[in-house]
Amino acid sequence: MAYFDAASAAPLHPVARQALLASLDEGWADPARLYREGRKARMLLDAAREAAAEALGCRADEVVFTSSGTRAVHTGVMGALAGRRRVGSHLIVSAVEHSSALHAAEVFESDGGTVTQVAVSRAGTVEPAAYQAALRPDTALAVLQSANHEVGTVQPVAEVAEVCRAAGVPLLVDAAQSLGWGPVEGDWSLLAASAHKWGGPSGVGLLVVRKGVRFAAQGPVDERESGRAPGFENLPAIVAAVASLRAVRAEAAQEAVRLRELTDRIRTRVPELVPDVEVVGDPERRLPGIVTFSCLYVDGEALLHELDREGFSVSSGSSCTSSTLTPSHVLKAMGVLTEGNVRVSLPMGTAEEDVERFLAVLPDAVAGVREKLGAPAAPAARQGAGEVLVDSLGKRCPIPVIELAKVFGQVPVGGIVRVLSDDEAARLDIPAWCEMRGQEYVGEEPAERGTAYLVRRVG
């Protein structure tokens, strides 16, 4: 089985396993106690904190260990906002942040705060000028991920940090995806990360709060982790997390070159091997191991099952793979095709042969899913009425797009196809189809049921 979902969770690094097992014997006692076993545990915890600080480029007393990366983001966002409540109640986030940041923003907004979401380009990148334009006198905090978890796009953190610093606003960086590849550049104020993203054990997060940042921990606190992460520390997991971070950093430069070549190969060859594919994310400013593409006329969940049967573990941002049946907020913000989406995220050590086998298997897997869905093999050639109505109410994407493609040849140049749909993904995927096909997306109109999406044939 080829595991290609490292962006969700990287396999446990051998160094992490060794450190975990050793710490189970040495680090089981309460590091807050003064007897011998407690002092031994405290030495392990202090050493892990020092090592983490060195890797992060900060002071040891600025590092807090939390129970997860999500908890680190929540604690960091809410603590910084509370600490700066006298400044104001305005929060800035990008539209493609991890759900942990967006959920924290939702809670803040429901409690009376205001939130500005900064838009991104079609490649998923924010512009520092957009953050600058979003800043207000009452802005308490800005949040920006270092690299996107779904498409791998690397954000201009240093430039955004400079803009925020000039305005006196702290910037919290979610570095979960990038920290294993190297430290985060720029004059950021807070940072959050998650150990299972770089090959450490799950259940360990990192939160850095720079000295001088006003911070007020929310909820009940105790004496542990500077009062910012209550509860008994999972010391063996913490030691393993930091040991694995140091290990992957030592391998990062060499592996980055190798994995970037493999993902470049996927980015180039998938559109050559599979028709009607959109490769998404920035082609240059991206993490080494992530490549994401979307296939027209394909149900993402069905494609993932086909690839799983062929021995490949990949993930998807398609709406059909989530219980909410709504499109990925990242792909939606980028304005790209959401259905038939595949994210390949290669862990360190991925074999070249596995990538070649994936490229060999993918075309038949996509073709099989399209055939089952009745996707058109080629555009229809006949011409008829100046307007055609497609009733796709009650059908989930990619079916509305498939039905659009099947009838599109029935209208003459200048003619309109009106697609009725009540699936939110159609609002993204029909315009994406138009862009891929060189046709004109006219817009949408309210309908008695659902929405009417209008497409004009231009050629």
Side-chain angles (χ1 to χ4, degrees), residues 383-388 410-412 415-416:
Q383 295 187 1
E387 181 169 316
V388 172
Q410 298 177 19
V411 299
I416 294 287

Side-chain angles (χ1 to χ4, degrees), residues 153-376:
T153 296
V154 173
Q155 300 292 5
V157 171
E159 293 89 340
V160 172
E162 184 177 352
V163 165
C164 292
R165 177 70 64 177
V169 174
L171 175 69
L172 184 150
V173 178
D174 175 5
Q177 287 298 333
S178 73
L179 199 60
W181 296 107
V184 178
E185 297 180 355
D187 197 7
W188 44 267
S189 301
L190 302 98
L191 181 143
S194 186
H196 73 275
K197 301 291 188 180
W198 66 66
S202 59
V204 179
L206 290 175
L207 173 63
V208 178
V209 182
R210 296 281 201 188
K211 292 297 180 183
V213 175
R214 292 188 178 276
F215 191 93
Q218 299 301 284
V221 299
D222 60 23
E223 71 282 0
R224 298 180 187 274
E225 295 301 304
S226 305
R228 293 170 181 171
F232 199 102
E233 298 93 346
N234 185 349
L235 185 52
I238 289 171
V239 171
V242 177
S244 60
L245 179 58
R246 290 165 62 93
V248 298
R249 284 282 190 85
E251 305 163 1
Q254 184 174 350
E255 270 297 281
V257 173
R258 200 179 67 84
L259 292 186
R260 193 173 294 279
E261 191 281 326
L262 293 177
T263 52
D264 282 344
R265 192 180 307 182
I266 296 172
R267 289 182 67 90
T268 300
R269 290 182 56 188
V270 165
E272 297 172 350
L273 296 168
V274 182
D276 299 319
V277 165
E278 181 179 18
V279 181
V280 301
D282 195 294
E284 301 296 333
R285 289 181 56 90
R286 59 184 176 84
L287 293 175
I290 298 180
V291 57
T292 305
F293 55 89
S294 299
C295 308
L296 270 179
Y297 317 132
V298 169
D299 177 282
E301 187 172 13
L303 180 56
L304 263 57
H305 286 317
E306 288 295 325
L307 292 171
D308 183 51
R309 279 192 282 270
E310 294 290 343
F312 295 95
S313 301
V314 298
S315 62
S316 172
S318 295
S319 61
C320 52
T321 62
S322 73
S323 59
T324 60
L325 291 177
T326 58
S328 152
H329 73 277
V330 171
L331 301 178
K332 181 178 179 180
M334 294 168 60
V336 298
L337 184 68
T338 68
E339 294 302 323
N341 178 262
V342 175
R343 180 187 68 183
V344 174
S345 48
L346 307 177
M348 291 185 173
T350 296
E352 180 181 1
E353 306 84 71
D354 287 338
V355 171
E356 286 298 325
R357 189 165 63 87
F358 174 78
L359 291 169
V361 163
L362 182 67
D364 286 344
V366 173
V369 173
R370 285 174 171 166
E371 183 178 6
K372 290 176 183 177
L373 292 172

Side-chain angles (χ1 to χ4, degrees), residues 44-69:
L44 287 174
L45 182 58
D46 289 346
R49 201 183 310 278
E50 290 281 354
E54 182 182 357
L56 293 162
C58 65
R59 294 168 38 151
D61 58 358
E62 295 173 334
V63 178
V64 169
F65 295 108
T66 67
S67 58
S68 68

